[in-house]
Amino acid sequence: MTAGAAAVAAGPALAFLGAGGTLVGHGVAALLPRGPAATLGARAAAFLREAGANAVLAGALPFAPDADDFLVQPRRLAPAAPEAAPVAAPMRWRLRHQPDAAGYAAAVRKALHIMDAEAGQPGGLAKIVLARSLLATADRAIDPMALLRRLATDPAATGFLVPLPAAEGGAARWLAGATPELLVEKRGARIRSHPLAGSAARQADAAADAAAASALSRSDKDRREHAIVADCILDTLAPFCRSLSAPQGTTLMRTHSMWHLGTAIEGELKDPDLSAAALAALLHPTPAVCGLPRARAARLIGEIEPMDRGFYAGAVGWCDAAGDGAWHVAIRCAEISGASARLYAGAGIVPGSDPVAEAAETGAKYGALLAALGIALDESRA
């Protein structure tokens, strides 16, 4: 076993828990040689040929396509989800925003100014997704698997826990979350994707919640934001597909904390040997987490955001020796190491976006993680 594999082998299992199925792995048999998204399909295929017909690779792609991924071969696959952890005593937390809501709104205004200046220009910025972060530090170590079990209670999301490269000093790191967004799933020649873009916070009052959903479904700004994402995925997949469609069009989807606009896409590959890992690398990052044009948006994200996204807004998933698998957009997640959890949340910015409303949206998107960590939403307001 490599030194990198040893760093995560003793930790909790990696796991994906959702409506699409359960995959739980214990220990680490080997690491996939690390590299950028452009080489993932070839590296994964070569690794799985050597590893055997029953082998599985699972892990995370970083936000930046040219940065190194982190995928592992579990030593053992478990037939079912791990048992629920006992309820622990409440933790005490210290919270630090990066940036706070006012700083995030200022970043949105900067992006809107750039869009306005480039309007009508070839290659001008049409959409950018800006994120912010919340560092939560507890009075004792966080149990990643217990956190996953609490996150996985939302039937509209896929709970996930995957190892990341060790932190400075060798401490184990994990990416834990509950993502509602399917990047791509492959079974034989059949593929599915379910992009989300355009969001509104759920409301406790039933009438107010219905009004929020109705307003989202009628929002011109949100529908334009969503169309950018869905069209990009359809255009990217079309050359590889014998058939490809979105039979239900754009519909509303709800999680415990958010309403989303979503488009369910399904198709049949021309080449059924094209793997789920290769398809994920082709699609990532979509305009749902980056923007359009992609290269322009990615450069501006690096200039405007005050933190490195790392594996946030990347992709998490798995691929087997037959090339089948499922990959999800790494949103509604936190990086866990020891007693710290770094939460991330982002919002899509297009002409017509309201900086204050976008800041509130990112705050609402922390909701699932805050609830799972036992932090009241009101405590995190900033």
Side-chain angles (χ1 to χ4, degrees):
M1 182 186 297
T2 67
V8 296
L14 65 85
F16 296 88
L17 310 177
T22 296
L23 177 74
V24 179
H26 292 277
V28 175
L31 287 177
L32 175 72
R34 300 183 67 192
T39 66
L40 174 61
R43 285 183 290 115
F47 180 97
L48 290 166
R49 278 196 300 270
E50 291 293 323
N54 296 321
V56 167
L57 278 171
L61 314 185
F63 170 71
D66 57 352
D68 287 349
D69 49 32
F70 195 78
L71 278 73
V72 304
Q73 177 192 4
R75 184 173 297 281
R76 177 174 64 87
L77 293 177
E83 294 183 3
V87 177
M91 292 179 167
R92 292 191 295 274
W93 296 92
R94 289 181 287 112
L95 306 179
R96 180 166 62 88
H97 289 271
Q98 189 180 12
D100 61 13
Y104 182 83
V108 172
R109 292 186 187 96
K110 181 175 182 179
L112 289 170
H113 177 75
I114 293 170
M115 286 181 193
D116 184 59
E118 296 180 358
Q121 297 180 15
L125 186 67
K127 175 183 177 179
I128 187 170
V129 179
L130 293 178
R132 63 181 179 128
S133 173
L134 172 62
L135 179 62
T137 305
D139 58 354
R140 62 180 184 275
I142 299 164
D143 181 340
M145 185 55 70
L147 175 62
L148 172 65
R149 290 303 310 225
R150 293 191 289 272
L151 287 167
T153 58
D154 190 337
T158 294
F160 64 87
L161 178 71
V162 295
L164 297 179
E168 290 185 15
R173 287 196 305 154
W174 309 90
L175 193 67
T179 173
E181 188 164 4
L182 176 66
L183 181 63
V184 65
E185 180 184 63
K186 175 185 178 290
R187 296 285 186 273
R190 302 300 304 177
I191 60 169
R192 294 194 308 121
S193 180
H194 197 173
L196 305 178
S199 306
R202 299 291 306 276
Q203 304 297 315
D205 176 76
D209 193 44
S214 178
L216 177 62
S217 68
R218 293 182 283 104
S219 167
D220 176 69
K221 173 262 177 187
D222 287 290
R223 284 194 167 271
R224 284 188 285 112
E225 178 189 341
H226 181 80
I228 289 172
V229 179
D231 289 349
C232 179
I233 289 180
L234 286 163
D235 290 346
T236 302
L237 290 175
F240 302 95
C241 290
R242 192 180 311 279
S243 63
L244 186 68
S245 65
Q248 299 176 10
T250 300
T251 61
L252 280 171
M253 175 187 175
R254 63 183 176 185
T255 68
H256 283 341
S257 59
M258 301 295 297
W259 286 103
H260 298 285
L261 295 178
T263 297
I265 295 169
E266 55 189 48
E268 182 181 2
L269 292 170
K270 295 175 183 176
D271 178 7
D273 291 332
L274 188 62
S275 73
L279 288 166
L282 282 169
L283 291 169
H284 171 70
T286 76
V289 292
C290 183
L292 202 70
R294 184 164 72 175
R296 173 77 170 129
R299 284 195 300 272
L300 286 170
I301 286 168
E303 295 171 9
I304 295 174
E305 291 183 359
M307 73 285 176
D308 182 355
R309 288 188 177 188
F311 287 84
Y312 162 70
V316 292
W318 60 275
C319 182
D320 66 17
D324 292 346
W327 290 84
H328 305 267
V329 182
I331 53 174
R332 313 299 150 76
C333 60
E335 179 187 303
I336 308 298
S337 183
S340 73
R342 181 171 288 279
L343 287 65
Y344 297 88
I349 312 304
V350 296
S353 291
D354 177 347
V356 174
E358 301 295 350
E361 180 179 315
T362 58
K365 286 176 176 175
Y366 288 140
L369 262 298
L370 291 170
L373 290 167
I375 303 172
L377 187 59
D378 287 346
E379 292 181 57
S380 71
R381 297 293 188 193

